[in-house]
Amino acid sequence: MPTTHEITLQQAVDLTTRYRNNKPSNLPLSETFEVAAITRLLSTAGCSYLRIYYGMKEDGNTVAILVAANEENEDMLPAGTALTGDAVIVEEGIICPPICPPPSPLNT
């Protein structure tokens, strides 16, 4: 599964423009997470990947849920689950709208 995952700015602009032009109203334009939350997630012992799931709040709005995954591609979940450990699950991002970042080529 190794890959750089990197794309060009133009590819990102094309993708985000297409998304904005076609997204259902219950999907956010973006979500922003504090570095401390992501660092805590990536600091999970044995973390090899960052996985993003999508969930839906009771009001129908879609949110990103971030979890660590190990080298076997298994979700690393908090204690009390099949894969116990010091893992955390991250959600509660700052959702745009209503709280949006300043204009950039990726959001205008």
Side-chain angles (χ1 to χ4, degrees):
M1 254 174 46
T3 178
T4 65
H5 300 284
E6 294 177 14
I7 62 174
T8 66
L9 173 58
Q10 188 57 56
Q11 288 172 308
V13 168
D14 293 345
L15 290 165
T16 57
T17 299
R18 189 175 307 112
Y19 176 78
R20 282 193 315 278
N21 292 336
N22 295 287
K23 77 171 197 64
S25 62
N26 65 327
L27 297 179
L29 289 175
S30 68
E31 287 191 55
T32 302
F33 295 89
E34 293 184 15
V35 170
I38 302 305
T39 300
R40 170 81 170 93
L41 179 69
L42 296 177
S43 296
T44 303
C47 175
S48 295
Y49 302 100
L50 169 66
R51 178 165 292 123
I52 302 172
Y53 285 101
Y54 299 97
M56 187 172 289
K57 297 266 187 168
E58 289 183 12
D59 63 7
N61 288 318
T62 301
V63 294
I65 301 162
L66 289 65
V67 299
N70 63 21
E71 64 183 28
E72 288 82 34
N73 201 28
E74 301 166 315
D75 290 341
M76 301 179 72
L77 305 171
T81 61
L83 295 170
T84 61
D86 63 346
V88 297
I89 298 174
V90 174
E91 199 263 308
E92 300 298 327
I94 300 166
I95 296 176
C96 168
I99 302 170
C100 296
S104 84
L106 299 181
N107 64 22
T108 58

